[in-house]
Amino acid sequence: MQDLDAQVKTYEGSNLYDFDNNIQMNWYPKRVIHHSKNLKSMLELGLGHGISTNIFSANFQNYNVIDASQAVIDNFKARTGFHIETLNARPSYNVNA
């Protein structure tokens, strides 16, 4: 299993693809919001750049994000100042097929 914490540099704001990610991540949440009118709750898998997090949190009464990387969570908190309740429930296991 890949160490997700090692990928945190991708989300720090100095990546070659930040411009493309910004365009996509601003379009995607608006489309989801458009198709989920009258819903009050949202569950998102992964913080990533946090672009959709800002948009979704302003549009859903109950908004939760699950991310497996503590480094990505810490980076998001440092960049945005968002108060995030974190729970580290990552199990330690190795899967070999």
Side-chain angles (χ1 to χ4, degrees), residues 18-97:
D18 282 345
F19 176 76
D20 297 324
N21 288 335
N22 189 30
I23 291 171
Q24 181 179 356
M25 290 291 110
N26 277 297
W27 166 82
Y28 152 75
K30 292 173 186 172
R31 184 166 188 227
V32 169
I33 290 166
H34 174 76
H35 290 288
S36 60
K37 292 180 180 169
N38 302 321
L39 296 179
K40 295 181 181 178
S41 297
M42 168 71 148
L43 172 63
E44 186 173 24
L45 304 178
L47 272 169
H49 299 278
I51 296 168
S52 60
T53 304
N54 292 329
I55 297 169
F56 287 144
S57 65
N59 285 277
F60 290 95
Q61 184 177 5
N62 299 307
Y63 173 67
N64 295 286
V65 182
I66 296 173
D67 200 298
S69 170
Q70 188 62 50
V72 170
I73 293 168
D74 293 343
N75 177 59
F76 177 79
K77 286 162 71 169
R79 286 187 306 108
T80 65
F82 266 54
H83 170 71
I84 300 175
E85 180 181 339
T86 59
L87 172 65
N88 188 348
R90 243 187 314 183
S92 295
Y93 58 86
N94 190 356
V95 177
N96 292 314

